[in-house]
Amino acid sequence: MPINSKFFKKLLIWRYKNVSEKNFVFLLSLIIGLLAGVISVTIKNITFTIQAILEKGIELTKNSIYFILPIIGLLLVYLFVRYISKKPTGHAIPTILYSLSKRDGIIHKKHIYLPLITAPLTVGFGGSVGLLGPAILSASAASSNLGRVLHINRKTRSLLIACAAAGAIASIFKSPIAAIIFALEVFSLDLTFASLLPLLIASVSSVITSYFFLGDTVLFNFSVSEKFVIKDTLFYVLLGIGTGVASIYFSKIYFGITSFFNRFKSSRQKLIIGGLAIGTMLFFIPPLYGEGFSFINDLMLGNDIKALGNTPFDEHLDNIWIVIGLLFGITIFKAIAMTTTFAAGGTGGIIIPTLVMGSALGNVVAKVINNCGLGFSVSEANFTLIGMAGLIAGVLHAPLTAIFLIAEITGGYELFVPLMITASMSFIINKNGLDHTIYTKELLEKGELLTQDKDKSVLTLMKLDAVIEQDFIQLHPEMTLGTMLKEGVSKSSRNLFPVTDSDNLFVGIILLDDIRTVMFDQSLYNSTTVETFMHQAPEYIIYEKDSMQEVMQKFQSSKAWNLPVIRDNKYYGFISKSKLLTAYRRELINFTS
């Protein structure tokens, strides 16, 4: 049915008249939760089907096939992007955050289906990334485009995108509370009843959808059997410090490897180099293959040998320190394998790789404590769980999400105290070391990120073009005073005139006050020029560079009422302080209403 059809218009009119905005949002959050659940189930099933087909080949050839599988998967993604989609998927959460801050919550409709193809190809063939990010992006794109069709305003559309993200997480992990908190922490939503109830509805409906299609199967077949004991508090603090440092390492490796691959302009070069690197890592460290859920489950059940798989060190696995070394190797190389997968052109998410890395680190810390010869004994399963929470808290800057996610997926509410200790320690260490996350670094540097700081968020939502004024009469340096008065002053309602040269390059300004004392002295009309009276502007706004925060700062520091805008090194217009503050006040009202 075309969205411009008479029937559809009548339906919208009926909705406006008969269904309140609040109830309509509740209904949409229910629908979006169902959509997010279906999308999450679909992306998981496609991936598992690919993996099931390839498993026989892996069993027959031991680890040898690991060399070729990642390259095949990345090649298929490369061919699909180049010849079919014509557009890379991009990283999920940064794409969504940018759409919320700079595109009024509008996400391109291609993002509905692209992740459903590229992510399963990447992960199914061994790419060391997760499926959660692509599921969130696909669900969010579906939500955004549904909002556009139904003429939903920007603020409501942003809330519904958060509902889609919460729904995807709730469906995959069957953890509705953690899903709601994730949306609040990562998307910087205000915790109000107006935002909380739609998130709750979306999360619950998505979980129900997951149960309908997948039954009561869970990702982690484990329940906490050993309670927290007070004597282990210091060890959980130690784990928090370890996961905090590891989370900084995780982010640094991500940015470092990404920067290295950006040196290669050819996507083919990235694919070949990245594919070979991933294949080599998988050959020596099989648990890096795919998402890694089986690795986490085996660790929590104490099956260390099964978790490690076939390695060149199989003959030495009776030595606990060899096992510890191999697990620590997974901690180190998971971040490298994940980032290399991204850099080589793969599609996926970072949340699940973070869980894998955290589980390995937590298990390593527990094994070291238990085997250091000092008589200490801690629960390796509990440390494996809490290591995941610590790394999530640090990498995502989302400690509450980390705590409730681990508690929900394992039923480990009895571990709330150590979860809080480790997650808070990790978050504090990472936050002091890095002001940004993998999600937010680029957006933060460009001033394109919404935060809990309402002032900054309002400025981020404002658009520069909306406050630029261009109804100024331009003068030229060689103009005489008489010509300036005739062609400029007499025809303008402004008391400010930009001075430009023949190439439209900005060279200065003239205020009416600059010529007020001589404008009636006819003896100067032909003997003086614009260049005599013009002067430099107190500050300049660079269109391509300055964010709204920087624009506001320039007005504050220069104490000017009007500042020129330079675009492509040429004069483009002016911004007035009065119009800027009016636009800010209007946006603030919309943002907080």
Side-chain angles (χ1 to χ4, degrees):
M1 179 184 66
I3 62 173
N4 292 323
S5 67
K6 291 183 179 179
F7 175 79
F8 189 78
K9 289 181 178 179
K10 289 182 180 179
L11 184 63
L12 287 178
I13 293 172
W14 179 87
R15 196 279 292 177
Y16 285 125
K17 290 181 177 179
N18 297 279
V19 182
S20 69
E21 186 70 18
K22 179 178 68 175
N23 290 333
F24 188 57
V25 170
F26 292 159
L27 176 61
L28 286 178
S29 63
L30 174 65
I31 295 171
I32 288 166
L34 295 173
L35 278 174
V38 170
I39 287 171
S40 300
V41 170
T42 301
I43 199 170
K44 285 170 63 177
N45 286 341
I46 294 173
T47 305
F48 294 161
T49 300
I50 294 173
Q51 289 176 336
I53 294 172
L54 297 174
E55 272 180 7
K56 293 183 179 179
I58 295 174
E59 292 173 0
L60 291 174
T61 61
K62 299 295 182 181
N63 290 11
S64 302
I65 200 171
Y66 283 132
F67 274 120
I68 191 65
L69 283 181
I71 298 179
I72 295 174
L74 292 172
L75 177 62
L76 292 173
V77 173
Y78 168 79
L79 293 174
F80 176 80
V81 170
R82 178 159 186 173
Y83 297 106
I84 300 177
S85 73
K86 309 289 185 181
K87 183 179 181 181
T89 304
H91 293 300
I93 304 301
T95 298
I96 297 170
L97 292 175
Y98 179 78
S99 75
L100 292 174
S101 64
K102 291 300 179 183
R103 290 179 54 83
D104 295 333
I106 296 173
I107 304 174
H108 198 286
K109 60 184 178 182
K110 280 189 175 183
H111 288 304
I112 298 174
Y113 61 86
L114 287 183
L116 298 179
I117 300 171
T118 57
L121 288 175
T122 301
V123 178
F125 280 85
S128 196
V129 291
L131 294 173
L132 181 55
I136 290 174
L137 178 57
S138 178
S140 297
S143 171
S144 172
N145 284 276
L146 178 63
R148 291 181 68 185
V149 169
L150 296 174
H151 298 254
I152 300 298
N153 60 46
R154 185 194 70 198
K155 188 169 184 178
T156 304
R157 188 160 53 238
S158 298
L159 174 60
L160 295 179
I161 288 174
C163 288
I169 294 174
S171 176
I172 287 181
F173 289 113
K174 293 183 177 175
S175 53
I177 298 176
I180 294 171
I181 296 173
F182 175 88
L184 295 171
E185 282 191 306
V186 175
F187 294 146
S188 299
L189 293 180
D190 286 330
L191 183 58
T192 63
F193 184 78
S195 61
L196 188 60
L197 194 53
L199 289 170
L200 178 61
I201 293 171
S203 296
V204 171
S205 62
S206 187
V207 168
I208 292 173
T209 304
S210 180
Y211 273 109
F212 178 80
F213 286 104
L214 302 177
D216 58 357
T217 57
V218 291
L219 288 175
F220 302 122
N221 187 22
F222 176 83
S223 58
V224 175
S225 59
E226 299 181 67
K227 297 181 180 180
F228 165 69
V229 289
I230 192 67
K231 67 181 179 63
D232 292 339
T233 301
L234 186 60
F235 294 129
Y236 287 115
V237 172
L238 179 65
L239 180 60
I241 295 172
T243 52
V245 173
S247 66
I248 294 176
Y249 160 80
F250 189 97
S251 299
K252 294 283 188 181
I253 282 292
Y254 177 88
F255 297 129
I257 293 178
T258 300
S259 176
F260 171 76
F261 272 85
N262 285 340
R263 299 175 185 176
F264 303 104
K265 295 183 180 180
S266 170
S267 297
R268 293 180 183 177
Q269 287 182 312
K270 294 179 181 179
L271 188 156
I272 294 171
I273 295 172
L276 290 173
I278 297 166
T280 303
M281 284 186 279
L282 291 179
F283 179 80
F284 288 103
I285 313 176
L288 298 179
Y289 184 91
E291 289 188 285
F293 282 125
S294 60
F295 169 80
I296 298 174
N297 273 310
D298 289 335
L299 274 190
M300 289 194 299
L301 294 173
N303 298 328
D304 302 333
I305 308 302
K306 185 179 179 182
L308 290 171
N310 296 317
T311 74
F313 307 96
D314 285 351
E315 297 179 359
H316 307 285
L317 293 184
D318 55 340
N319 186 328
I320 188 62
W321 293 103
I322 297 294
V323 173
I324 290 173
L326 291 173
L327 289 173
F328 187 70
I330 293 171
T331 303
I332 297 297
F333 281 96
K334 185 62 179 179
I336 298 173
M338 179 203 75
T339 308
T340 304
T341 302
F342 284 134
T347 300
I350 72 167
I351 295 176
I352 295 171
T354 304
L355 292 175
V356 173
M357 183 174 166
S359 67
L361 180 59
N363 197 270
V364 164
V365 172
K367 279 181 166 58
V368 170
I369 293 170
N370 290 338
N371 294 278
C372 65
L374 297 177
F376 297 118
S377 178
V378 297
S379 169
E380 293 184 5
N382 288 356
F383 269 66
T384 301
L385 285 174
I386 295 171
M388 291 192 284
L391 214 68
I392 284 286
V395 170
L396 302 188
H397 285 186
L400 292 177
T401 299
I403 292 168
F404 281 93
L405 178 64
I406 301 305
E408 282 190 286
I409 61 180
T410 61
Y413 286 97
E414 294 175 348
L415 297 178
F416 245 57
V417 172
L419 280 170
M420 288 189 289
I421 292 171
T422 300
S424 60
M425 286 294 299
S426 179
F427 172 73
I428 291 169
I429 290 171
N430 190 289
K431 188 69 174 175
N432 280 281
L434 298 171
D435 291 329
H436 48 70
T437 67
I438 291 173
Y439 291 151
T440 63
K441 182 178 185 291
E442 186 175 350
L443 296 176
L444 197 64
E445 290 175 347
K446 294 180 179 179
E448 298 172 344
L449 180 69
L450 297 180
T451 68
Q452 296 291 354
D453 187 324
K454 287 187 173 61
D455 181 61
K456 289 183 178 179
S457 293
V458 169
L459 289 172
T460 300
L461 289 169
M462 292 173 63
K463 293 179 173 58
L464 194 63
D465 283 316
V467 293
I468 295 176
E469 300 175 276
Q470 297 177 314
D471 57 337
F472 292 84
I473 295 178
Q474 297 181 47
L475 306 177
H476 304 294
E478 67 277 5
M479 273 186 177
T480 63
L481 176 59
T483 305
M484 176 179 64
L485 294 172
K486 181 179 180 181
E487 300 296 330
V489 177
S490 64
K491 295 181 179 180
S492 176
S493 59
R494 300 281 190 169
N495 62 354
L496 173 68
F497 301 90
V499 182
T500 60
D501 63 11
S502 58
D503 294 324
N504 201 38
L505 295 175
F506 185 82
V507 294
I509 60 172
I510 289 182
L511 301 175
L512 202 58
D513 287 343
D514 296 328
I515 60 171
R516 194 179 302 278
T517 58
V518 299
M519 62 189 299
F520 298 110
D521 187 348
Q522 296 184 9
S523 64
L524 298 176
Y525 281 10
N526 295 319
S527 60
T528 57
T529 63
V530 166
E531 191 172 12
T532 306
F533 303 101
M534 77 176 190
H535 54 86
Q536 294 299 312
E539 189 59 89
Y540 301 89
I541 295 169
I542 310 302
Y543 184 89
E544 297 87 355
K545 178 184 176 183
D546 290 342
S547 64
M548 291 304 295
Q549 291 96 318
E550 291 169 322
V551 170
M552 191 70 83
Q553 182 60 42
K554 285 184 176 182
F555 271 103
Q556 184 176 351
S557 61
S558 66
K559 298 182 179 179
W561 281 97
N562 295 276
L563 290 177
V565 180
I566 308 300
R567 183 176 186 179
D568 297 326
N569 295 320
K570 296 183 179 181
Y571 166 75
Y572 188 62
F574 273 85
I575 294 179
S576 69
K577 182 185 286 187
S578 59
K579 185 165 186 175
L580 180 65
L581 294 177
T582 299
Y584 174 84
R585 181 175 179 274
R586 186 184 304 116
E587 192 64 57
L588 180 63
I589 292 172
N590 292 335
F591 184 77
T592 56
S593 62

